[in-house]
Amino acid sequence: MLGVRDDFRRRLLAIAALFCVLGFQYATWAARLPALKSDLDLSKAEVGLLLMAAGVGAAISFPLVAVLTRRLGSRRLAVVSGLFLGAVLLGLAAAPNYPLALAVMCLDGLAVGCLNVAMNAQGAALEARHDRTAMAKLHAVFSAGSLFAALLASGMNALTDSVAAHFGAATAIIALLVVATRSHLLPDETPAEQAGGTAEQAGDAAEQAGNASPAAPAVEGDTGPTADSPATGGAPVTDETDTPRRRLSLPATATLWMGGAMVFGTVTEGAMNDWSALYLEEVAGASAKVAPLGIAVVSVMMVAARLFADGWRARWGDGRVVRVGSVLAGTGLALALLAGGVVPALLGFACMGLGIAAVTPCVYVAAARQGSDALALVAAMGTTGLLAGPPVIGFIAQGSSMTWGMGAVAASAVLVAACATRIRWTATAQDTRKPTASTSAAPAEPAAEPAAEPVEPAAS
């Protein structure tokens, strides 16, 4: 990364390392669950509670994440939480009993919530600063980090049965990634720094705003201020400086719709990972060798879609990508359930992975533009969906059938589209350039401003 001169690419690689760290750390301990179960002599129920502890920690992290994001900024929060996640692995390997392991996993969930918000804030700020889409590719790197962890786990298992040795190596990799990339992350802009700016800095900012595209403030659906904050991904500066009022205010309606889209999107993702193989085996009649292909198909399609989704976002806009994609996911899976059989099921799973892949990145970008509190709340709601979704689908399947359970997954994807229709999506890089070119076709408004303030045209 030291040899990368382009600022956008250098920052992109640094932020991508954070996504890689989160996926890598999660898959590292998940891959050693059988060994942890054996070492701590746990039952299946206790293993389930261990997983629940991590989810609960992430779900309740919202108040802490909101405060830390405002006080530390996304850059410092990402570095601290990334290093802490490495330490969590060491703590989990050294936990002598089940209660301590539960406490460690709860701390893991809290750290995941912090890094999740910080890295997505960095990604959204990168898009705002450079006027280019990148979030979908960053989320694809999360999956790549999980794959890297699986390969490392396989290699370490071949060398040693020691969980401590495996987690020690993983911690060293996490620390190297975080330390090597921290100086290339976007700089933090804390509320104190925002308030302490000099008059000269304010003048420079105004001059830059005047030289920027005049269409930026007029983006359709962007009703808030247009000042970009690297720490919050383009959040309005006034929200960050009015800390007491933000702490007491209720979430905006737009934030709740974003949270709804995130909940239903993560319910869909989690349920497909947990129940697709069981559906193939019990309902579609697939063999034990074919059943795991359900997860593989969903995962491969999601990674592939996220690699191309930034281009789709730049061309058609975030809102259209989310709406069309979630409808494709829901209807594709529903048709597969009606048709029955292994091949239709795999095709339906492919539609699900393709359609739902861009939901999370797009919603994170939209939430980051509302400020750090909105981003933290939406992230917490997404974690809740990921935690509660699969068990709810299991209850539906137990009370009726697996087909109805998967039908609920399809309905959840369609509900993402319903929530997306109520979100005011900001325009993409291409969209904001179009009005700039078209201003010459309607000179009436620009002509009125120089007449009222003749000094500005003379200065330009």
Side-chain angles (χ1 to χ4, degrees), residues 434-447:
K434 288 178 182 177
T436 306
S438 64
T439 51
S440 59
E445 262 184 71

Side-chain angles (χ1 to χ4, degrees), residues 233-244:
V237 176
T238 54
D239 288 346
E240 295 293 338
T241 57
D242 196 7
T243 303

Side-chain angles (χ1 to χ4, degrees), residues 287-456:
S287 65
K289 294 182 179 180
V290 175
L293 288 179
I295 299 176
V297 168
V298 174
S299 300
V300 169
M301 291 304 295
M302 286 191 69
V303 172
R306 283 173 172 172
L307 290 176
F308 291 98
D310 286 322
W312 303 340
R313 294 172 58 211
R315 182 171 183 178
W316 295 303
D318 288 6
R320 187 177 300 177
V321 169
V322 171
R323 291 190 297 269
V324 174
S326 53
V327 169
L328 170 65
T331 56
L333 180 59
L335 292 175
L337 297 176
L338 292 174
V342 175
V343 174
L346 292 177
L347 291 175
F349 294 171
C351 290
M352 179 61 73
L354 177 65
I356 211 68
V359 170
T360 302
C362 291
V363 176
Y364 271 127
V365 170
R369 291 184 180 275
Q370 301 296 317
S372 59
D373 284 0
L375 178 59
L377 177 60
V378 169
M381 293 177 71
T383 304
T384 302
L386 195 64
L387 170 68
V392 169
I393 299 303
F395 292 144
I396 295 174
Q398 185 176 0
S400 52
S401 68
M402 180 58 66
T403 302
W404 279 106
M406 295 301 288
V409 177
S412 180
V414 175
L415 287 174
V416 173
C419 293
T421 60
R422 305 304 300 268
I423 298 173
R424 291 188 173 185
W425 303 92
T426 54
T428 59
Q430 284 190 1
D431 294 336
T432 56
R433 284 194 294 266
K434 288 178 182 177
T436 306
S438 64
T439 51
S440 59
E445 262 184 71
E449 290 182 5
E453 274 185 295
V455 179
E456 262 184 48

Side-chain angles (χ1 to χ4, degrees), residues 108 309 353:
D108 177 82

